[in-house]
Amino acid sequence: GAVVSQHPSWVICKSGTSVKIECRSLDFQATTMFWYRQFPKQSLMLMATSNEGSKATYEQGVEKDKFLINHASLTLSTLTVTSAHPEDSSFYICSASDSGIGRFETQYFGPGTRLLVL
Amino acid sequence: GENVEQHPSTLSVQEGDSAVIKCTYSDSASNYFPWYKQELGKRPQLIIDIRSNVGEKKDQRIAVTLNKTAKHFSLHITETQPEDSAVYFCAARSEGNNRLAFGKGNQVVVIP
């Protein structure tokens, strides 16, 4: 149980293009999903919290117009990197909580999407 | 916000020995502390977690201890095996806040 998938697993794109990454909870409903970015040999940096049916909450320093998040259903959240540039190249990982209500919510991570912007 | 620090950054142990990783947190309201294991190029996987109403939790070769007074918690791996080699992240979450604050990670190398 508690499986999270991500698609695509890797993507190479030209500078200026937009890239959409999907995060799905396969066997549970996730009211809340999280998007992280991880640079090589570094920790997980939270970018935003995605809430089903409402606007995402972005962390300080993360541009909401550049990283568009949509959480249209209880099993799917998408992250779109708009007008990607080489500095956006990174490992993007989502996670999902298996309970939208409650004091303790375990986060399960997707396999990540490796983005390379040329 | 919550600040989580993790020590040491790198730890090498001989196969069969024990490994201990320590984390400290700043927010006394934090009440949930998970540990994740991440192998190179893969997703972080939850290996154990502890809530603030208990002081210790064990699952086979892995245990976590929590000292709320000192605001630190530790991961203990006994009888280490080469497959335990990975980066381990600790995290903390405050009550009423669904966000996790992660430590910087600890590279554990088990030498055969």
Side-chain angles (χ1 to χ4, degrees):
Chain A
V3 179
V4 178
S5 70
Q6 253 181 271
H7 177 80
S9 56
W10 58 270
V11 59
I12 302 173
C13 68
K14 292 182 179 180
S15 186
T17 59
S18 293
V19 175
K20 179 186 281 189
I21 303 170
E22 293 185 349
C23 178
R24 293 181 185 272
S25 57
L26 299 186
D27 51 1
F28 64 96
Q29 293 185 331
T31 304
T32 305
M33 291 183 175
F34 304 86
W35 287 97
Y36 295 84
R37 183 163 55 182
Q38 187 177 36
F39 293 106
K41 297 186 178 182
Q42 293 191 23
S43 189
L44 298 152
M45 187 189 80
L46 180 64
M47 299 174 66
T49 302
S50 171
N51 301 296
E52 188 268 336
S54 65
K55 291 183 179 180
T57 303
Y58 289 82
E59 295 299 303
Q60 193 172 9
V62 178
E63 299 176 58
K64 62 180 181 180
D65 294 330
K66 180 168 182 62
F67 299 99
L68 301 178
I69 291 173
N70 184 280
H71 194 153
S73 77
L74 287 171
T75 60
L76 173 65
S77 176
T78 61
L79 168 69
T80 301
V81 183
T82 61
S83 186
H85 292 287
E87 57 266 29
D88 298 323
S89 299
S90 188
F91 191 47
Y92 291 87
I93 314 178
C94 70
S95 72
S97 292
D98 63 359
S99 172
I101 300 173
R103 300 171 61 193
F104 301 117
E105 302 150 350
T106 302
Q107 285 190 29
Y108 297 97
F109 283 86
T113 297
R114 199 163 297 279
L115 171 64
L116 177 61
V117 185
L118 302 177
Chain B
E2 175 64 275
N3 181 44
V4 178
E5 305 230 348
Q6 198 166 340
H7 313 278
S9 59
T10 305
L11 178 64
S12 295
V13 295
Q14 287 292 136
E15 181 177 358
D17 288 350
S18 295
V20 181
I21 307 168
K22 297 179 181 178
C23 285
T24 60
Y25 60 99
S26 60
D27 187 352
S28 57
S30 288
N31 60 5
Y32 174 63
F33 309 92
W35 284 90
Y36 287 87
K37 174 185 179 182
Q38 187 178 30
E39 296 178 37
L40 188 63
K42 296 189 177 180
R43 76 181 82 195
Q45 291 198 308
L46 179 71
I47 55 172
I48 197 167
D49 57 13
I50 192 168
R51 297 187 169 95
S52 59
N53 56 346
V54 297
E56 183 174 358
K57 184 177 178 181
K58 189 174 181 180
D59 183 4
Q60 299 182 350
R61 296 187 297 109
I62 295 172
V64 56
T65 58
L66 171 65
N67 183 327
K68 285 166 46 180
T69 303
K71 290 191 283 187
H72 68 70
F73 56 112
S74 300
L75 177 71
H76 304 253
I77 307 173
T78 59
E79 301 173 29
T80 53
Q81 300 167 6
E83 51 265 38
D84 294 329
S85 297
V87 177
Y88 291 82
F89 292 98
C90 62
R93 187 180 65 217
S94 301
E95 183 169 352
N97 184 340
N98 59 3
R99 294 156 61 245
L100 287 175
F102 281 88
K104 291 186 182 298
N106 179 293
Q107 175 75 60
V108 173
V109 178
V110 180
I111 303 166

